[in-house]
Amino acid sequence: MSDKAWGGRFEEELDAIAARFSASVDVDGRLWPQDIDGSIAHVRMLANRDVLSKADAELIESGLQEIRASIEAGDFDWDASKEDVHMNIEAALTEAVGEAGGRLHTGRSRNDQVATDMRLWTRQACETTVDDIDVLLEVLADKADAHLDFLMPGYTHLQRAQPVRLAHHLLAWAEMLERDRGRVVDAARRMNESPLGAAALAGTTFPIDRESTAASLGFDRPMRNSLDAVSSRDFLLEAVSALAICSVHLSRIAEELVLWSSQEFAFMQMSDAFTTGSSIMPQKKNPDMPELVRGKTGRVVGSLVNLLVMLKGLPLTYNRDLQEDKAPVFEAFDTVHDCLAVLAGAIASARFDQKQMAAALQAGFLDATEVADWLALRGVPFREAHHVAGKLVQQAAKEGKTLAQLPIESYQSAHDAFDDSIFDALDMETAVERRDVFGGPARGRVADAIAELRGRLQARREA
Ligand code: ARG
């Protein structure tokens, strides 16, 4: 950076390593749409307040629109020696419109400018994330609908536990995502205040109108305190926290896709479009996409840790440390965007195997709870009933049978309350259907849950 750019205070050029170290345009260049929007809002307000002449304001605005067009067309000349996105655009403006360009920065600082740009960018990125989540939710609703009659083992400790419906499991994923969506929406709502007009830290002597710039940029209101406006980045912490939690959820979903498509489970087959082969083993069809979703969680959680540590102990107000907020925020949003899209595609194109899931229900005594419940329903204390059922499981395991294959005599010698109707309770479909409680896996409950999810998605599309 030459002394010319920084004005009279400097006699020496910035050291080359210092220049390279502090330049950020490679990263923050992507803030250009927000930077131009913010500048236009600012310059129109300056003209309304007679701080700038209408002629200058119009010249500046048309210059900024030209710059927008040239960036969009890919012929803007980004220059790292101009440090950041703000200086690049301002320099180009002055080149395009002459002296008037030098008036744009009246009553403003890069400190409120960059804080404004980041709020605008992140607000938009939150909207995109919310849409991405809705796309995945649609896929889950469709898949749940199509597989309402597929029974599968539900697991605890990764041990087969009780029979459920595949649709019920898919809707559990949907619940996780629904909360993730809510967190992103909340973060976007709270960040929607305008730092513009806080200037360097203490506002400005020019008669600016912060309400009007806030309104024209779609903010709910100007931020109340100029010191806070330029130094707070908790809006980024909140947004990236929401993304970190979302990525952890995506990693859990991804892990189940990996497990279910393994030969050990064989509950599903991922489509060719979302699997890859091995360079040495011709038989392999690997679930690389969910594995990568699982693996990329580190980037997003890492971005959150990055931001938290950057901000910890930082005195008010602006410090250059804050420039480091951008890379982790962009990385977190980009990663979650890709992960959501990849999972939506992978799940939409996957085929579930009803037979394999049903077969998994046959081994593992998933109906043991039914035996205990059967007794408890007839007045046997549940603890005792649990013990009796456990004994029957032990016996069946020894004899290599399922609970349904044990003769009635075995039941009656374990407890004299048993009669033939115990065998009705052992049917898996019956076991699932009897869990007819709100939030449970009975067919009607799951169908209601799908309808409810679809209704929510529909209402959002119409909103
Ligand atoms: N590139 C800087 C950032 O992202 C812009 C603000 C610079 N402000 C300053 N006082 N040096 O934080």
Side-chain angles (χ1 to χ4, degrees):
M1 180 63 59
S2 78
D3 62 348
K4 264 198 267 161
W6 290 119
R9 175 76 174 77
F10 291 84
E11 287 179 358
E12 257 186 276
E13 293 274 332
L14 188 61
D15 180 90
I17 178 67
R20 189 176 63 74
F21 186 67
S22 57
S24 58
V25 70
D26 283 355
V27 175
D28 62 31
R30 74 190 270 189
L31 291 175
W32 67 263
Q34 293 73 27
D35 202 66
I36 291 175
D37 289 347
S39 289
I40 290 175
H42 179 67
V43 84
R44 287 185 183 167
M45 178 278 292
L46 290 180
N48 284 336
R49 284 291 166 108
D50 294 322
V51 177
L52 286 193
S53 70
K54 296 272 180 274
D56 275 348
E58 272 162 29
L59 208 54
I60 293 173
E61 182 164 344
S62 70
L64 288 168
Q65 300 294 17
E66 265 172 48
I67 293 171
R68 189 199 298 276
S70 106
I71 299 174
E72 268 166 2
D75 26 77
F76 188 81
D77 199 6
W78 294 103
D79 179 359
S81 80
K82 296 199 181 78
E83 205 178 298
D84 58 22
V85 62
H86 323 292
M87 307 292 281
N88 268 268
I89 291 177
E90 198 183 318
L93 177 69
T94 304
E95 203 169 296
V97 307
E99 202 186 51
R103 302 215 158 95
L104 165 65
H105 214 49
T106 313
R108 185 176 77 166
S109 151
R110 279 189 299 158
N111 295 351
D112 60 339
Q113 187 179 358
V114 72
T116 303
D117 291 1
M118 277 306 272
R119 282 177 191 261
L120 290 173
W121 188 92
T122 310
R123 183 180 75 188
Q124 173 62 52
C126 285
E127 263 177 47
T128 304
T129 306
V130 159
D131 291 344
D132 294 338
I133 292 176
D134 281 347
V135 168
L136 181 51
L137 286 171
E138 295 275 0
V139 167
L140 292 175
D142 289 346
K143 283 284 169 185
D145 228 350
H147 299 87
L148 200 47
D149 292 314
F150 283 35
L151 299 185
M152 69 178 287
Y155 292 81
T156 62
H157 312 270
L158 202 53
Q159 308 282 324
R160 291 174 192 161
Q162 289 173 350
V164 294
R165 290 182 187 281
L166 170 60
H168 194 50
H169 197 114
L170 298 176
L171 290 179
W173 293 350
E175 291 298 319
M176 292 147 63
L177 290 163
E178 186 70 35
R179 289 189 298 276
D180 293 336
R181 184 187 190 282
R183 275 182 281 269
V184 174
V185 168
D186 287 348
R189 197 174 290 145
R190 197 164 15 255
M191 77 181 60
N192 198 31
E193 299 185 324
S194 174
L196 197 59
L201 74 164
T204 172
T205 55
F206 292 97
I208 58 168
D209 179 358
R210 295 192 59 207
E211 298 282 348
S212 90
T213 49
S216 63
L217 292 169
F219 287 116
D220 295 329
R221 63 191 80 82
M223 291 183 75
R224 281 191 294 258
N225 182 294
S226 68
L227 305 179
D228 177 54
V230 293
S231 68
S232 78
R233 293 293 184 274
D234 49 294
F235 70 102
L236 298 175
L237 297 182
E238 266 191 74
V240 176
S241 299
L243 297 187
I245 295 170
C246 180
S247 316
V248 167
H249 283 162
L250 298 182
S251 80
R252 297 182 72 180
I253 294 170
E255 168 62 8
E256 295 197 309
L257 296 178
V258 171
L259 282 173
W260 292 357
S261 59
S262 71
Q263 278 148 30
E264 279 65 22
F265 279 76
F267 288 176
M268 60 179 281
Q269 278 224 336
M270 308 237 328
S271 75
D272 287 357
F274 286 89
T275 47
T276 51
S278 156
S279 55
I280 173 168
M281 298 165 283
Q283 85 283 11
K284 290 295 283 290
K285 200 174 160 189
N286 296 326
D288 293 34
M289 301 310 134
E291 289 171 61
L292 281 165
V293 168
R294 199 174 55 186
K296 282 177 192 281
T297 314
R299 293 184 183 231
V300 185
V301 175
S303 294
L304 175 59
V305 174
N306 187 341
L307 289 166
L308 285 165
V309 176
M310 179 204 72
L311 214 55
K312 182 199 170 289
L314 207 62
L316 304 191
T317 58
Y318 181 85
N319 299 273
R320 193 64 180 272
D321 313 42
L322 293 174
Q323 177 167 293
E324 292 297 310
D325 62 355
K326 288 162 206 77
V329 170
F330 295 160
E331 162 124 275
F333 275 100
D334 291 346
T335 303
V336 168
H337 176 70
D338 287 349
C339 289
L340 284 164
V342 162
L343 280 186
I347 294 170
S349 61
R351 283 210 325 271
F352 291 94
D353 190 326
Q354 189 169 19
K355 279 210 187 90
Q356 284 288 343
M357 291 183 174
L361 288 171
Q362 291 318 309
F365 308 105
L366 284 92
D367 41 9
T369 312
E370 308 319 304
V371 175
D373 282 355
W374 190 98
L375 285 173
L377 213 62
R378 285 156 183 82
V380 179
F382 185 79
R383 278 290 147 237
E384 186 189 339
H386 181 282
H387 182 80
V388 170
K391 284 281 169 215
L392 286 163
V393 167
Q394 193 183 51
Q395 185 183 345
K398 256 188 218 147
E399 296 176 16
K401 291 178 173 159
T402 66
L403 283 171
Q405 287 165 343
L406 283 179
I408 186 64
E409 291 74 26
S410 300
Y411 282 92
Q412 285 168 338
S413 62
H415 199 289
D416 51 22
F418 279 120
D419 61 50
D420 272 341
S421 73
I422 180 63
F423 293 109
D424 299 335
L426 296 181
D427 175 62
M428 291 297 163
E429 187 82 37
T430 310
V432 173
E433 280 315 278
R434 290 185 57 224
R435 287 173 164 71
D436 188 13
V437 294
F438 180 77
R443 198 175 193 283
R445 300 290 183 169
V446 176
D448 288 350
I450 296 170
E452 211 255 340
L453 171 57
R454 284 204 189 285
R456 246 181 291 143
L457 290 168
Q458 175 77 18
R460 283 177 202 156
R461 271 196 303 270
E462 285 163 7

